[in-house]
Amino acid sequence: MYTRPLARLIEELQRLPGIGSKTAQRLALHLINRPAGEIEALAKALLEAKQTVRHCSICFNWSAEDPCEICRSPQRDPSLWCVVADVKDLMAMERTREFKGLYHVLGGLISPMNGIGVDQLHIRELVARVAREKPQELIFAISPSVEGEVTMHVVKDYLKPVAPTLRMTRLAFGLPMGSELEYADEVTLARALEARQEL
Amino acid sequence: MPLPKCWWAGPAEYPNSRPETFRDPCIFVYLRSLHLRHFRNYRDQGITFDAPKTILVGENAQGKTNLLEAVELLATLRSRRASRDRELVYQEEHQAQIAATVERLGVAHELVMELRSSGRRSLKVDGHVLRRQADFLGQVNAVVFSSLDLELVRGAPEARRNWLDGVLLQLEPVYLGLVEQYRQILKQRNALLKQDPKDSVPLTQATAGDQLPQMAFWDAQLATTGSRIMRRRARLLQRLQPLAAHWHRVISGGRETLTLTYRPQVPLPDPQASPAVIQAQFLAEIRTKAAAEHSLGSSLVGPHRDEVELCINGVAARAYGSQGQQRTLVLALKLAELELIEQVVRDPPLLLLDDVLAELDLHRQNQLLEAIQERVQTLVTTTHLGSFDAGWLKAAQILQVQGGQLFPDKTGDGIP
């Protein structure tokens, strides 16, 4: 049906997350319509990103430089760290522009079903880094799932011996800002009720 | 014991506490119509319910139970007969649809459930797609009584746990999340039990000063979520017990006393105990079973192994009951469920009787009819009308089911 190179392009695009066969087709037909320069720039950007972007050796954020931009920044508060599961979560925290500390990316959550344990994550690196740099507080910004809970408690347990006085906190459970109470789902509302605060 | 006309005018322990407006027919949730497309053996069939009672007559394997199953899906999002949605879709099709019109306070609402053989579902209320499945729960409530329910008495503990969970899902919206969370913890914990022995050494054998083994944290999760489930189940049984005992007494003519006792796998000395006490008990139980769990590679402690004991006059019903007594017991449980849902939700649920009414003797059929009156919309399936009490046939809408199609009953008065 399609000529071979176009079919191959569609196949490649289809392997990307969130892209089905229809979207892949649309993207391929769009790309083939663009000027050659634009496509070269895209191809170059892909290659360059792949060749230069590495994990930051300190916090495991993606970066072309090592240490990453955040770890090197003099404007950041080195006593306050945020522990996240994934770079996606780091980006979400950055979008708030409210957090001025450093990060540590774990690279996932503990999940025995998928063979992910302490050794598959950057937990030992975090322990060594805490022992070396002695921050004052770690904020766990981890999604509230079963796996997230276990990961947080395991990390806390690993940190206890090296930093007995380190303050460890987690994000609150609660209602999305600007939301209507009546539309909140029952589980969120029930958790918000449990974690209610003094007025 | 004389029969109560309806249960809010029943014996002293059921005081007349319901507001008068409750009898106003327009307050009831009423299933007006149902439309099945490519669902089970139905190609495209609509049905309008124009009486509080509908009797579906037909030979076996014509689609009577499938129709009730569709209503059960709307109420609980679950089917007890299918493990995957693929089984619910008409062969060679990819997608089935159940559409229903439900009337609440006289206002009609459109409910649509789309089932795909891929397993993805979509749910719509009045044309709006629901983001969360749980929001659909409570649109329709239903109590199902089918021959499968005799498993409640005869079957393994799982049947009784599923029944409790089914009632809780209709009463407490938070319960769905709890059950899903518990299932996930169990899966992860079992995976860990099967793998790396270093990570899963029992707590007692871990050397002091070391990091706790990962298992300790899964234990804590299991205990926290598990005890929440236990507390909710214990509370539900406390509420169901007097209702079930009452109905059982009425149906058995006052000769027998039914007791329901919650037997959680983690012993619960006091059902009112605080969460902390239950969790401590839970963890202690995990420690005693640790060796066995490791050799079997699966979790042995927790509400996934709970039991509900059903006793008649102090003797286990499973061992003792005759067929008739077991039917009486299940009927009492179902009426208790119906009454509790009505009390909490303030609307009587739909009652779905699948192939069980004709099996009840005329006395019990009458008791059931007295109990539900005209308030409870009831769908009944049967292979023959011969053994029905006249009270049931009177004013019922009777439909013939044949090969996935519905026809008005040709016999006219419904008596063959």
Side-chain angles (χ1 to χ4, degrees):
Chain A
M1 187 160 78
Y2 288 108
T3 177
R4 242 185 98 78
L6 193 53
R8 230 195 103 197
L9 178 59
I10 292 171
E11 288 296 324
E12 289 289 349
L13 289 169
Q14 243 186 86
R15 289 164 43 177
L16 299 175
I19 305 227
S21 60
K22 290 230 176 88
T23 313
Q25 251 180 51
R26 221 180 58 223
L27 286 175
L29 293 174
H30 169 83
L31 288 170
I32 221 74
N33 252 325
R34 307 305 299 166
E38 205 174 290
I39 300 301
E40 263 164 41
L42 175 65
K44 222 178 122 208
L46 277 174
L47 266 178
E48 195 182 301
K50 184 62 205 169
Q51 282 161 357
T52 59
V53 176
R54 295 274 179 277
H55 277 306
C56 165
S57 60
I58 299 174
C59 73
F60 298 94
N61 184 13
W62 290 114
S63 173
E65 294 161 66
D66 191 16
C68 73
E69 289 80 352
I70 295 173
C71 285
R72 280 186 297 126
S73 166
Q75 263 100 61
R76 293 280 178 162
D77 176 359
S79 70
L80 180 64
W81 299 1
C82 181
V83 179
V84 292
D86 205 278
V87 175
K88 283 200 301 283
D89 303 330
L90 181 154
M91 288 173 169
M93 288 296 293
E94 280 299 284
R95 278 198 301 272
T96 68
R97 304 208 185 144
E98 290 296 319
F99 180 69
K100 296 291 176 225
L102 303 176
Y103 289 95
H104 191 90
V105 181
L106 293 175
L109 295 173
I110 287 178
S111 172
M113 270 158 62
N114 303 309
I116 299 174
V118 170
D119 296 325
Q120 282 69 42
L121 303 174
H122 305 301
I123 292 177
R124 293 184 204 283
E125 290 91 336
L126 175 65
V127 175
R129 187 181 164 203
V130 165
R132 198 169 60 234
E133 296 174 30
K134 302 196 172 42
Q136 267 156 28
E137 180 176 349
L138 254 58
I139 302 168
F140 287 85
I142 300 228
S143 307
S145 65
V146 166
E147 292 77 11
E149 290 292 312
V150 165
T151 307
M152 261 187 287
H153 285 106
V154 166
V155 172
K156 181 181 157 200
D157 186 60
Y158 269 77
L159 286 169
K160 265 281 164 62
V162 297
T165 57
L166 175 65
R167 182 173 183 222
M168 290 185 247
T169 54
R170 65 185 295 175
L171 297 186
F173 303 113
L175 300 167
M177 201 56 197
S179 64
E180 303 275 343
L181 202 61
E182 60 172 319
Y183 294 125
D185 72 277
E186 294 79 13
V187 178
T188 304
L189 201 51
R191 293 197 90 160
L193 190 66
E194 271 174 48
R196 64 189 182 278
Q197 295 173 350
E198 288 307 327
L199 193 65
Chain B
M1 189 181 204
L3 284 172
K5 272 272 177 284
C6 45
W7 48 57
W8 60 82
E13 67 260 43
Y14 303 97
N16 184 355
S17 60
R18 278 160 218 251
E20 197 57 30
T21 53
F22 213 69
R23 291 177 209 191
D24 178 357
C26 79
I27 204 167
F28 301 147
V29 175
Y30 192 48
L31 179 64
R32 276 272 170 237
S33 71
L34 191 67
H35 201 125
L36 305 177
R37 289 186 190 88
H38 300 148
F39 179 78
R40 290 279 194 185
N41 70 333
Y42 288 89
R43 277 185 165 284
D44 191 344
Q45 178 69 55
I47 169 174
T48 304
F49 300 102
D50 52 26
K53 292 183 183 56
T54 303
I55 301 179
L56 301 156
V57 198
E59 303 281 306
N60 289 321
Q62 299 304 308
K64 304 187 299 291
T65 301
N66 295 345
L67 198 144
L68 296 199
E69 185 183 31
V71 180
E72 187 182 5
L73 270 161
L74 293 177
T76 62
L77 301 176
R78 309 196 294 182
S79 161
R80 294 188 294 174
R81 300 160 69 227
S83 48
R84 301 153 179 231
D85 283 359
R86 184 185 307 258
E87 299 165 40
L88 300 171
V89 180
Y90 191 95
Q91 49 180 335
E92 289 158 22
E93 293 290 339
H94 299 293
Q95 186 173 330
Q97 191 192 61
I98 307 169
T101 316
V102 173
E103 207 173 285
R104 268 196 309 270
L105 296 165
V107 180
H109 297 276
E110 301 292 331
L111 309 180
V112 176
M113 174 185 269
E114 273 161 11
L115 304 153
R116 296 177 182 82
S117 28
S118 64
R120 220 167 54 79
R121 285 184 183 179
S122 45
L123 304 169
K124 277 186 240 172
V125 178
D126 292 327
H128 300 290
V129 179
L130 298 185
R131 209 168 44 81
R132 291 179 322 119
Q133 298 225 342
D135 289 339
F136 202 76
L137 289 172
Q139 294 289 339
V140 178
N141 287 298
V143 172
V144 191
F145 182 10
S146 80
S147 51
L148 287 178
D149 287 305
L150 290 174
E151 288 295 297
L152 267 174
V153 186
R154 290 186 212 143
E158 191 184 4
R160 290 176 285 282
R161 287 195 296 270
N162 286 343
W163 172 62
L164 277 188
D165 286 353
V167 182
L168 277 169
L169 283 176
Q170 299 201 52
L171 294 182
E172 304 180 12
V174 180
Y175 197 70
L176 181 66
L178 271 182
V179 170
E180 280 168 359
Q181 199 177 339
Y182 187 79
R183 226 178 264 149
Q184 181 71 7
I185 298 169
L186 260 191
K187 266 202 273 180
Q188 293 282 22
R189 193 175 182 275
N190 287 344
L192 189 60
L193 277 169
K194 285 189 181 71
Q195 65 177 239
D196 195 3
K198 173 171 63 67
D199 267 341
S200 62
V201 278
L203 246 187
T204 43
Q205 289 169 28
T207 32
D210 259 5
Q211 261 82 45
L212 287 173
Q214 200 197 112
M215 188 54 86
F217 300 96
W218 290 106
D219 291 353
Q221 290 290 314
L222 195 74
T224 311
T225 309
S227 48
R228 287 201 178 124
I229 289 179
M230 285 164 60
R231 277 162 60 88
R232 283 173 196 269
R233 283 183 179 170
R235 191 172 62 200
L236 173 67
L237 271 169
Q238 273 182 348
R239 297 162 86 179
L240 279 171
Q241 156 69 35
L243 306 178
H246 161 68
W247 284 112
H248 195 264
R249 217 163 34 239
V250 169
I251 303 165
S252 69
R255 278 167 292 146
E256 296 176 339
T257 309
L258 168 67
T259 46
L260 313 181
T261 317
Y262 184 37
R263 297 266 179 247
Q265 191 278 326
V266 174
L268 203 61
D270 170 16
Q272 308 293 338
S274 72
V277 171
I278 302 176
Q279 280 170 38
Q281 184 85 30
F282 204 119
L283 291 171
E285 187 70 14
I286 289 180
R287 275 192 291 278
T288 63
K289 296 262 179 9
E293 284 195 331
H294 282 82
S295 64
L296 283 169
S298 90
S299 300
L300 299 177
V301 177
H304 62 292
R305 292 167 64 90
D306 280 355
E307 168 66 301
V308 179
E309 208 173 78
L310 307 172
C311 287
I312 298 173
N313 295 336
V315 184
R318 194 174 174 179
Y320 151 97
S322 70
Q323 282 265 359
Q325 281 167 321
Q326 292 182 348
R327 278 179 203 283
T328 303
L329 201 164
V330 175
L331 185 57
L333 295 181
K334 293 291 165 178
L335 287 174
E337 180 183 341
L338 187 94
E339 188 174 358
L340 186 63
I341 292 176
E342 185 173 9
Q343 276 178 12
V344 175
V345 181
R346 314 245 297 137
D347 273 319
L350 288 168
L351 180 62
L352 311 178
L353 301 172
D354 189 12
D355 242 351
V356 286
L357 195 59
E359 314 292 319
L360 297 172
D361 59 36
L362 290 181
H363 169 69
R364 292 197 185 92
Q365 283 189 25
N366 266 318
Q367 302 289 1
L368 183 55
L369 196 60
E370 283 283 332
I372 62 176
Q373 304 271 317
E374 297 284 295
R375 291 174 307 119
V376 180
Q377 187 182 359
T378 310
L379 307 186
V380 183
T381 70
T382 185
T383 48
H384 50 284
L385 292 168
S387 53
F388 274 69
D389 180 82
W392 276 91
L393 297 174
K394 197 179 68 193
Q397 173 187 18
I398 300 175
L399 294 165
Q400 295 276 349
V401 185
Q402 209 170 48
Q405 287 184 292
L406 302 174
F407 305 96
D409 184 51
K410 293 183 199 74
T411 54
D413 60 358
I415 299 166

